[in-house]
mmCIF file of all heavy atoms in Angstrom:
data_model
loop_
_atom_site.group_PDB
_atom_site.id
_atom_site.type_symbol
_atom_site.label_atom_id
_atom_site.label_comp_id
_atom_site.label_asym_id
_atom_site.label_seq_id
_atom_site.Cartn_x
_atom_site.Cartn_y
_atom_site.Cartn_z
ATOM 1 N N ASN B 101 -10.632 25.278 -16.519
ATOM 2 C CA ASN B 101 -9.727 26.349 -16.156
ATOM 3 C C ASN B 101 -8.357 25.827 -15.695
ATOM 4 O O ASN B 101 -8.236 24.769 -15.105
ATOM 5 C CB ASN B 101 -10.335 27.218 -15.047
ATOM 6 C CG ASN B 101 -11.300 28.213 -15.599
ATOM 7 O OD1 ASN B 101 -11.391 28.406 -16.801
ATOM 8 N ND2 ASN B 101 -12.052 28.816 -14.743
ATOM 9 N N GLU B 102 -7.352 26.646 -15.950
ATOM 10 C CA GLU B 102 -5.978 26.274 -15.552
ATOM 11 C C GLU B 102 -5.840 26.247 -14.046
ATOM 12 O O GLU B 102 -6.609 26.933 -13.351
ATOM 13 C CB GLU B 102 -5.018 27.288 -16.088
ATOM 14 C CG GLU B 102 -5.191 28.692 -15.583
ATOM 15 C CD GLU B 102 -4.338 29.727 -16.272
ATOM 16 O OE1 GLU B 102 -3.186 29.927 -15.787
ATOM 17 O OE2 GLU B 102 -4.789 30.291 -17.230
ATOM 18 N N GLN B 103 -4.959 25.447 -13.608
ATOM 19 C CA GLN B 103 -4.643 25.309 -12.165
ATOM 20 C C GLN B 103 -3.446 26.148 -11.867
ATOM 21 O O GLN B 103 -2.447 26.118 -12.517
ATOM 22 C CB GLN B 103 -4.322 23.854 -11.861
ATOM 23 C CG GLN B 103 -5.405 22.864 -12.270
ATOM 24 C CD GLN B 103 -6.349 22.565 -11.147
ATOM 25 O OE1 GLN B 103 -5.990 22.034 -10.108
ATOM 26 N NE2 GLN B 103 -7.608 22.904 -11.345
ATOM 27 N N PHE B 104 -3.582 26.930 -10.771
ATOM 28 C CA PHE B 104 -2.491 27.731 -10.296
ATOM 29 C C PHE B 104 -1.932 27.022 -9.042
ATOM 30 O O PHE B 104 -2.662 26.883 -8.031
ATOM 31 C CB PHE B 104 -2.895 29.136 -9.913
ATOM 32 C CG PHE B 104 -3.184 30.012 -11.108
ATOM 33 C CD1 PHE B 104 -4.411 29.915 -11.752
ATOM 34 C CD2 PHE B 104 -2.248 30.925 -11.539
ATOM 35 C CE1 PHE B 104 -4.673 30.671 -12.876
ATOM 36 C CE2 PHE B 104 -2.535 31.685 -12.646
ATOM 37 C CZ PHE B 104 -3.730 31.625 -13.297
ATOM 38 N N PHE B 105 -0.692 26.535 -9.105
ATOM 39 C CA PHE B 105 -0.156 25.762 -8.039
ATOM 40 C C PHE B 105 0.619 26.661 -7.009
ATOM 41 O O PHE B 105 1.216 27.642 -7.384
ATOM 42 C CB PHE B 105 0.852 24.710 -8.587
ATOM 43 C CG PHE B 105 0.162 23.531 -9.200
ATOM 44 C CD1 PHE B 105 -0.231 23.564 -10.525
ATOM 45 C CD2 PHE B 105 -0.056 22.382 -8.457
ATOM 46 C CE1 PHE B 105 -0.875 22.454 -11.073
ATOM 47 C CE2 PHE B 105 -0.699 21.270 -8.998
ATOM 48 C CZ PHE B 105 -1.105 21.334 -10.320
ATOM 49 N N GLY B 106 0.538 26.200 -5.763
ATOM 50 C CA GLY B 106 1.366 26.793 -4.733
ATOM 51 C C GLY B 106 2.729 26.172 -4.696
ATOM 52 O O GLY B 106 3.008 25.215 -5.460
ATOM 53 N N PRO B 107 3.613 26.658 -3.847
ATOM 54 C CA PRO B 107 5.015 26.188 -3.805
ATOM 55 C C PRO B 107 5.132 24.789 -3.196
ATOM 56 O O PRO B 107 6.145 24.111 -3.357
ATOM 57 C CB PRO B 107 5.703 27.192 -2.924
ATOM 58 C CG PRO B 107 4.657 27.777 -2.086
ATOM 59 C CD PRO B 107 3.391 27.772 -2.894
ATOM 60 N N GLY B 108 4.031 24.294 -2.512
ATOM 61 C CA GLY B 108 4.079 22.943 -1.975
ATOM 62 C C GLY B 108 4.575 22.864 -0.594
ATOM 63 O O GLY B 108 5.275 23.769 -0.075
ATOM 64 N N THR B 109 4.243 21.754 0.075
ATOM 65 C CA THR B 109 4.746 21.389 1.382
ATOM 66 C C THR B 109 5.502 20.061 1.248
ATOM 67 O O THR B 109 4.939 19.071 0.767
ATOM 68 C CB THR B 109 3.647 21.189 2.422
ATOM 69 O OG1 THR B 109 3.015 22.470 2.665
ATOM 70 C CG2 THR B 109 4.207 20.673 3.722
ATOM 71 N N ARG B 110 6.770 20.051 1.594
ATOM 72 C CA ARG B 110 7.587 18.829 1.520
ATOM 73 C C ARG B 110 7.407 18.086 2.842
ATOM 74 O O ARG B 110 7.882 18.551 3.886
ATOM 75 C CB ARG B 110 9.083 19.177 1.279
ATOM 76 C CG ARG B 110 10.004 17.993 1.362
ATOM 77 C CD ARG B 110 9.855 17.119 0.114
ATOM 78 N NE ARG B 110 10.199 17.790 -1.125
ATOM 79 C CZ ARG B 110 10.080 17.228 -2.319
ATOM 80 N NH1 ARG B 110 9.578 16.011 -2.441
ATOM 81 N NH2 ARG B 110 10.357 17.907 -3.421
ATOM 82 N N LEU B 111 6.756 16.906 2.750
ATOM 83 C CA LEU B 111 6.531 16.112 3.976
ATOM 84 C C LEU B 111 7.470 14.897 3.955
ATOM 85 O O LEU B 111 7.548 14.153 2.975
ATOM 86 C CB LEU B 111 5.055 15.602 3.973
ATOM 87 C CG LEU B 111 4.730 14.574 5.084
ATOM 88 C CD1 LEU B 111 4.891 15.191 6.467
ATOM 89 C CD2 LEU B 111 3.323 14.043 4.862
#
Side-chain angles (χ1 to χ4, degrees):
Chain B
N101 280 349
E102 64 187 270
Q103 304 268 296
F104 287 82
F105 283 86
T109 294
R110 174 72 62 185
L111 173 64

